[in-house]
Amino acid sequence: MNTGILKAEGLCKSYGSKRVLEGLDLSVHAGQKVVLTGFNGVGKSTLLNTLAGRLPPLAGRFRFSEQAALGYFPQALAWTDGTRTPEELVTGAFPALDRQEARRALARCGVRQEHALQAVATLSGGEQARVKLCLLTLRPCNFLLLDEPTNFLDQEQAAWLADTLTGLERAFLAVSHDAAFLNRAVTAVCAVEGRRLTKYPGNYAAYQAKK
């Protein structure tokens, strides 16, 4: 793979006796913005968690290029210490940033100054998602794994995220059911259908037109 950042071959995954993924092949190239789509329960988040190293594959293999640097956005908004403020989380993760620089980074992601100084667990789901996205965009990664990144975002916030991701020179593989986000941000759709995966070029509207 000259420009490939991820290649998966023959991946399988089961829940108990239920096989949710079988013989799945997937490739993502540098800069490509891909969404996984399909009905609930078909294994989309399972695949993302497997690629993120949080779940082992039942069979098959996958590999990232030597140049790949991963960033992961989980579906759950969990914090090791929910009493810390967003400002403290940013400066703790990136010691080279001072408090003012941390607040500016948070502001670019839509976190208001008063919220930057509150305990993160007391913020709304949308604000917490923005803090996580701020931390993610500050990391020197070139491939993002995004599990339902718009779940806690309103329409305006989801549009902001789509525009932000479009402007970043980073590939991503996302699970999302947000059609507006998908039409705005992605360049390819991978549909999980009958435990297999089919890749379609274009955004979600183009995929829907081909079905």
Side-chain angles (χ1 to χ4, degrees):
M1 300 183 295
N2 293 332
T3 61
I5 199 165
L6 165 68
K7 186 172 182 64
E9 298 176 305
L11 286 184
C12 299
K13 186 68 185 178
S14 296
Y15 282 137
S17 60
K18 181 185 178 183
R19 185 68 63 92
V20 291
L21 298 173
E22 185 170 8
L24 186 146
D25 298 331
L26 170 67
S27 63
V28 178
H29 299 283
Q32 197 170 37
K33 304 177 190 302
V34 183
V35 67
L36 292 166
T37 188
F39 294 113
N40 287 334
V42 298
K44 303 184 301 296
S45 289
T46 298
L47 174 59
L48 216 61
N49 278 284
T50 299
L51 296 174
R54 284 158 172 78
L55 292 173
L58 186 67
R61 62 181 181 175
F62 64 91
R63 63 183 177 89
F64 297 98
S65 71
E66 292 181 0
Q67 293 74 35
L70 298 185
Y72 177 61
F73 182 90
Q75 190 171 156
L77 294 175
W79 302 94
T80 304
D81 182 358
T83 67
R84 300 182 73 189
T85 68
E87 180 190 284
E88 290 171 337
L89 290 166
V90 172
T91 55
F94 304 96
L97 298 181
D98 61 29
R99 295 176 60 188
Q100 189 174 20
E101 289 169 329
R103 289 186 200 178
R104 281 201 294 265
L106 288 161
R108 285 194 295 270
C109 291
V111 180
R112 291 182 295 203
Q113 184 168 335
E114 61 268 28
H115 291 159
L117 302 177
Q118 286 182 224
V120 69
T122 68
L123 301 179
S124 70
E127 289 284 349
Q128 290 187 51
R130 284 175 174 252
V131 175
K132 281 195 175 286
L133 289 164
C134 176
L135 291 165
L136 188 62
T137 56
L138 286 170
R139 298 190 186 282
C141 48
N142 58 11
F143 185 35
L144 306 177
L145 299 172
L146 308 171
D147 196 355
E148 298 286 5
T150 65
N151 260 7
F152 297 93
L153 303 181
D154 60 27
Q155 187 174 8
E156 182 181 347
Q157 291 170 335
W160 162 83
L161 176 60
D163 290 343
T164 298
L165 291 173
T166 300
L168 293 174
E169 293 183 4
R170 304 181 186 184
F172 70 72
L173 180 63
V175 172
S176 177
H177 295 87
D178 187 328
F181 168 78
L182 300 179
N183 283 326
R184 201 163 181 149
V186 307
T187 59
V189 174
C190 287
V192 182
E193 303 163 324
R195 296 181 292 185
R196 303 277 182 169
L197 185 145
T198 306
K199 192 171 184 180
Y200 301 87
N203 63 11
Y204 190 69
Y207 158 70
Q208 289 284 82
K210 292 175 182 175
K211 287 182 65 179

Coordinates of all heavy atoms in Angstrom, one line a residue, residues 13-22 58 195:
K13 N -15.6 -11.3 14.3 CA -15.9 -10.9 15.7 C -17.3 -11.5 16.0 O -18.2 -11.5 15.3 CB -15.9 -9.4 15.9 CG -16.1 -9.0 17.3 CD -14.9 -9.3 18.2 CE -15.1 -9.0 19.6 NZ -13.9 -9.4 20.4
S14 N -17.4 -12.1 17.2 CA -18.6 -12.6 17.8 C -18.9 -12.1 19.1 O -18.1 -11.7 19.9 CB -18.5 -14.2 17.9 OG -18.3 -14.8 16.6
Y15 N -20.3 -12.1 19.4 CA -20.7 -11.9 20.8 C -21.4 -13.2 21.2 O -22.4 -13.5 20.8 CB -21.8 -10.7 20.8 CG -21.2 -9.4 20.8 CD1 -21.8 -8.4 20.0 CD2 -20.1 -9.0 21.5 CE1 -21.3 -7.1 19.9 CE2 -19.5 -7.7 21.5 CZ -20.2 -6.8 20.7 OH -19.6 -5.5 20.6
G16 N -20.6 -13.9 22.1 CA -21.1 -15.2 22.5 C -21.2 -16.1 21.2 O -20.2 -16.3 20.5
S17 N -22.3 -16.7 20.9 CA -22.5 -17.5 19.7 C -22.9 -16.7 18.5 O -23.0 -17.3 17.4 CB -23.5 -18.6 20.0 OG -24.8 -18.0 20.3
K18 N -23.1 -15.4 18.7 CA -23.6 -14.6 17.5 C -22.4 -14.0 16.8 O -21.6 -13.2 17.4 CB -24.5 -13.5 18.0 CG -25.1 -12.6 16.9 CD -25.9 -11.5 17.5 CE -26.4 -10.5 16.3 NZ -27.1 -9.4 16.8
R19 N -22.2 -14.3 15.6 CA -21.2 -13.7 14.7 C -21.7 -12.4 14.2 O -22.7 -12.4 13.5 CB -20.8 -14.7 13.6 CG -19.7 -14.3 12.7 CD -18.3 -14.3 13.4 NE -17.9 -15.6 13.9 CZ -17.2 -16.4 13.2 NH1 -16.7 -16.1 12.0 NH2 -16.8 -17.6 13.7
V20 N -21.0 -11.3 14.5 CA -21.4 -10.0 14.0 C -20.6 -9.5 12.8 O -21.1 -8.7 12.0 CB -21.4 -8.9 15.1 CG1 -22.5 -9.2 16.1 CG2 -20.0 -8.8 15.8
L21 N -19.3 -10.0 12.7 CA -18.5 -9.6 11.6 C -17.8 -10.9 11.1 O -17.4 -11.7 11.9 CB -17.4 -8.6 12.0 CG -17.9 -7.3 12.5 CD1 -16.7 -6.5 13.0 CD2 -18.6 -6.5 11.4
E22 N -17.7 -11.0 9.8 CA -17.1 -12.3 9.2 C -16.4 -12.0 7.9 O -17.0 -11.4 7.0 CB -18.2 -13.3 9.0 CG -17.7 -14.7 8.5 CD -18.8 -15.7 8.5 OE1 -19.9 -15.4 8.7 OE2 -18.4 -16.9 8.3
L58 N -11.5 -12.0 16.6 CA -11.7 -13.5 16.7 C -10.8 -14.2 15.7 O -10.3 -15.2 15.9 CB -13.2 -13.8 16.5 CG -13.5 -15.3 16.8 CD1 -13.4 -15.6 18.2 CD2 -15.0 -15.6 16.3
R195 N -22.9 -9.0 7.7 CA -21.6 -9.3 8.3 C -20.4 -9.1 7.4 O -19.3 -9.4 7.7 CB -21.6 -10.8 8.8 CG -22.6 -11.0 9.9 CD -22.6 -12.5 10.4 NE -23.0 -13.4 9.4 CZ -23.2 -14.7 9.6 NH1 -22.9 -15.2 10.8 NH2 -23.7 -15.5 8.7

